Amino acid sequence: MEQLTIVKIGGNIIDNPAELQQFITDFSKIEGYKVLVHGGGKSATKMAKSIGLVPQMIDGRRITDQPMLDVVVMIYAGEINKNIVAQLHANGTNAMGFSGADGNLIQSTKRNHPTIDYGFVGDVQKVNTSLLETLIKNEITPVFCAITHDKQGQLLNTNADTIASELAIALSEVFEVTLTYCFEKSGVLYDAEDDTSVIENINKELYDQLKTEGAIHSGMIPKLDNCFNSLSKGVHKIKIGHHRLLKDNNILCTSITL
């Protein structure tokens, strides 16, 4: 099987122009097939506030009403996605930007929660693996923002970590996939305030134990749940850490295994 690298970058990299430039330089040097998934950073919140919208969050998840959806589509699929694609081309990577609606690449359903109305938030149902395979094997690097659709004409705000996970699972049918989550920390930490306290290897047993002990920051739990789900469905390897790990295999980071 040919190898494929899927990298998801968090908002804190996007919010820092120098960090983003360094990340794009390092990502462009990854050999072979690759896919990039990006979050939204603080730009959507900043734009929303500038036009008088008050962003609403429940348990760290954004409530997306129609005005907020308009903002996140504009910022994620527009400004951020196209800037990243332009910078990738400047670094010699033949990139193409996508939302899930383009080519029906990622189809979702509107989240149906028993007690909370998340608004226009999507949960991924289906990935168009055959079209993605064609793009990738023609040496196009897809760059995904965190917007999908329901195939009924509705765009949906969708968690970027989950998009990366679902793409990795789907593409594991045709590639040996390594999934890397890059953010501003060095990995999953024992102590959120100490960037040297990296847990270098987490398997399912240790993860369950750390959760029981309350030793993992609550914001990291959805990401790790996605990781174990991906590994159980055929993803070859998963790493979490600072984007420096893209150019240095020996750098301290967290490896996730079953």
Side-chain angles (χ1 to χ4, degrees):
M1 258 186 171
E2 293 173 292
Q3 295 190 338
L4 171 70
T5 303
I6 298 178
V7 179
K8 187 265 173 177
I9 53 166
N12 285 306
I13 297 173
I14 292 164
D15 291 328
N16 183 324
E19 287 280 314
L20 181 59
Q21 185 56 59
Q22 186 59 56
F23 166 80
I24 284 172
T25 301
D26 296 340
F27 178 83
S28 295
K29 290 176 181 173
I30 296 172
E31 294 184 359
Y33 299 137
K34 52 200 172 190
V35 174
L36 179 58
V37 180
H38 64 82
K42 294 171 185 157
S43 304
T45 300
K46 187 176 172 185
M47 173 62 76
K49 287 178 177 176
S50 77
I51 58 173
L53 299 178
V54 180
Q56 293 176 278
M57 308 285 280
I58 294 179
D59 297 333
R61 296 180 185 275
R62 189 188 295 274
I63 303 296
T64 308
D65 58 13
Q66 185 63 56
M68 185 57 72
L69 181 67
D70 293 343
V71 170
V72 296
V73 170
M74 177 171 61
I75 298 295
Y76 298 175
E79 181 189 8
I80 294 173
N81 189 267
K82 298 313 161 198
N83 276 314
I84 288 173
V85 169
Q87 289 185 56
L88 284 167
H89 279 286
N91 280 268
T93 293
N94 184 22
M96 192 177 285
F98 294 103
S99 72
D102 298 296
N104 189 31
L105 282 168
I106 307 173
Q107 193 176 322
S108 296
T109 55
K110 186 172 179 287
R111 179 169 298 162
N112 183 11
H113 190 279
T115 58
I116 301 166
D117 181 5
Y118 284 100
F120 295 104
V121 168
D123 293 315
V124 176
Q125 299 297 311
K126 191 175 177 184
V127 172
N128 187 343
T129 309
S130 60
L131 177 54
L132 265 177
E133 181 185 3
T134 300
L135 291 166
I136 291 164
K137 288 191 172 175
N138 278 284
E139 300 190 348
I140 291 166
T141 296
V143 180
F144 280 95
C145 68
I147 301 293
T148 61
H149 77 137
D150 67 357
K151 215 180 175 186
Q152 306 296 317
Q154 180 64 56
L155 295 172
L156 296 164
N157 187 13
T158 306
N159 182 276
D161 285 347
T162 304
I163 287 176
S165 172
E166 294 291 345
L167 289 172
I169 291 165
L171 289 165
S172 289
E173 295 173 16
V174 284
F175 299 100
E176 184 179 281
V177 176
T178 297
L179 173 59
T180 303
Y181 287 101
C182 292
F183 66 148
E184 74 281 5
K185 302 286 187 182
S186 294
V188 182
L189 307 175
Y190 281 111
D191 177 356
E193 303 305 315
D194 179 3
D195 204 40
T196 64
S197 66
V198 175
I199 308 170
E200 292 187 49
N201 292 283
I202 300 179
N203 60 22
K204 190 70 172 71
E205 186 180 354
L206 177 58
Y207 177 49
D208 290 340
Q209 179 188 327
L210 291 169
K211 272 203 297 189
T212 302
E213 293 170 357
I216 288 185
H217 187 272
S218 59
M220 187 59 68
I221 288 173
K223 192 187 296 284
L224 288 168
D225 287 342
N226 273 326
C227 290
F228 285 107
N229 181 50
S230 302
L231 289 170
S232 72
K233 293 179 178 174
V235 175
H236 179 64
K237 189 188 300 182
I238 301 181
K239 291 181 178 179
I240 299 176
H242 193 274
H243 65 79
R244 288 187 298 266
L245 68 86
L246 297 182
K247 65 177 178 181
D248 183 355
N249 284 328
N250 298 315
I251 200 166
L252 195 62
C253 67
T254 301
S255 292
I256 313 293
T257 57
L258 289 173

